[in-house]
Amino acid sequence: MRNIPSYPALIAVLLTTTLLAFVASILIGPTELGFRDLVTAIFGENPSMTTMIIGEIRLPRAILGLLIGSTLGLTGASLQGYLRNPLAEPGVIGVSTAAALGAVLAIYTGLSSSVPLALPVMAIGGSLIAVLILRALAGSGSILTLILAGVAISSLGGALTSLVLNLSPNPFASLEIIFWLLGSITDRSMNHVWLAAPFIISGWVLLVLSARALDILSLGEETAISLGINMERTQLFIIFGTAISVGAATAVSGVIGFVGLVVPHILRPWVNYSPSRLLLASALGGATLLLSADVLVRLITPGTELKLGVVTAFFGAPFFLHLILKTKATFNT
């Protein structure tokens, strides 16, 4: 029988790994830096090249990795708890694709250049529409219904994105959109952090407010209603929290999938299958995973970095297939 550590001990371990991954994200790169360089950049009085590298390149990238990874882990755990479905995740069910479509439209129309807020707002709008459609089609349906609804949303979002690329008169703009869609936090600045962070944190607040309802929902919707859970309010918190945070994250990073699927599934036994406890654990686990993956792409191909979304898909897709086979075996027994 597995020895499950206490919840505070688990959170302490996850906080430590997240901090280590965050520091590694700042120190590792084409220009070698040590911990002393980091301390000097933070507390030193005279600006230097090291200070510029850390403050203008490495630090924004690390902060975005922390914010986006936490968002993907948190929203994955929230959706799985709300839909009571272990395969629910923003990328798998089409929310990230719809958010990417909204962001692509903002880039294509030039709104993102003239009005910077148009990028996250349109991405949030796309993800919100996707979550509402998903809830209408498969909110209380089977796993197969959820997957099919997610495939339909992803396919439609992908087709509309391809249409935008096909109609783009500027091949350089099309190439920029294609690279952006692969998912990355390279070459991001503090402007991207300030643009996305308020929306992301607002979404977190809504999702955390639904924690108690998710615990009771695990007993069934009728039981939750009989115990005084306001299902309409819970639904709004989950829908808007997911849409706002995923939309803002996708607006600055592109599509990064499978983090919200893998992390909650791995950590769920370690929180004794408690949906509310899984939220914080998945947020920290998602941040650790994304920061570690971002460090990995710098080490594998230091000259031309792999896109972060490609790396997460490479590891996440086999894991997704494993979950489907495991679920199928469970239903057949």
Side-chain angles (χ1 to χ4, degrees), residues 61 68 72 96 100 104 175-188 249-257 290 293-294 297 305-313:
R61 185 171 181 171
I68 295 168
L72 296 176
S96 296
V104 166
L175 186 62
E176 180 183 355
I177 292 174
I178 290 173
F179 278 117
W180 178 83
L181 287 171
L182 294 176
S184 177
I185 52 177
T186 306
D187 299 328
R188 302 303 191 264
T250 304
V252 296
S253 69
V255 179
I256 300 175
L290 196 67
D294 189 46
V297 299
E305 293 183 6
L306 289 172
K307 295 300 181 182
L308 193 54
V310 175
V311 175
T312 57

Side-chain angles (χ1 to χ4, degrees), residues 50-310:
T50 300
T51 305
M52 290 184 59
I53 292 174
I54 291 177
E56 298 184 14
I57 300 176
R58 302 277 182 85
L59 184 60
R61 185 171 181 171
I63 293 175
L64 285 175
L66 178 68
L67 290 173
I68 295 168
S70 298
T71 294
L72 296 176
L74 177 61
T75 53
S78 300
L79 287 173
Q80 289 173 22
Y82 176 61
L83 296 174
R84 298 183 295 285
N85 195 314
L87 298 182
E89 188 264 345
V92 173
I93 61 178
V95 176
S96 296
T97 305
L101 173 61
V104 166
L105 288 173
I107 296 172
Y108 174 76
T109 57
L111 284 175
S112 60
S113 299
S114 56
V115 184
L117 277 177
L119 187 62
V121 168
M122 292 186 69
I124 289 168
S127 60
L128 178 60
I129 292 172
V131 175
L132 290 173
I133 293 175
L134 182 75
R135 174 59 182 168
L137 294 178
S140 58
S142 65
I143 290 178
L144 179 60
T145 305
L146 177 76
I147 294 175
L148 291 177
V151 168
I153 294 172
S154 295
S155 299
L156 179 60
L160 292 174
T161 301
S162 298
L163 177 63
V164 172
L165 290 171
N166 190 45
L167 296 176
S168 177
N170 188 341
F172 296 104
S174 299
L175 186 62
E176 180 183 355
I177 292 174
I178 290 173
F179 278 117
W180 178 83
L181 287 171
L182 294 176
S184 177
I185 52 177
T186 306
D187 299 328
R188 302 303 191 264
S189 66
M190 289 303 296
N191 289 333
H192 293 92
V193 174
W194 299 126
L195 187 66
F199 294 101
I200 288 176
I201 295 173
S202 298
W204 290 358
V205 171
L206 293 176
L207 294 175
V208 170
L209 288 175
S210 66
R212 177 177 174 273
L214 291 178
D215 276 340
I216 300 178
L217 265 175
S218 63
L219 303 175
E221 191 167 326
E222 292 183 0
T223 302
I225 294 174
S226 67
L227 292 175
I229 296 299
N230 188 326
M231 291 302 300
E232 183 177 353
R233 184 178 64 182
T234 300
Q235 179 178 354
L236 288 176
F237 282 176
I238 298 292
I239 287 176
F240 281 98
T242 299
I244 292 171
S245 55
V246 172
T250 304
V252 296
S253 69
V255 179
I256 300 175
F258 296 105
V259 174
L261 176 71
V262 173
V263 172
H265 183 80
I266 293 175
L267 293 176
R268 188 171 285 108
W270 297 96
V271 298
N272 202 23
Y273 298 91
S274 169
S276 61
R277 291 187 169 189
L278 186 60
L279 296 184
L280 177 57
S282 294
L284 294 172
T288 300
L289 178 60
L290 196 67
L291 286 168
S292 301
D294 189 46
V295 171
L296 184 63
V297 299
R298 306 179 211 180
L299 297 175
I300 295 176
T301 53
T304 303
E305 293 183 6
L306 289 172
K307 295 300 181 182
L308 193 54
V310 175

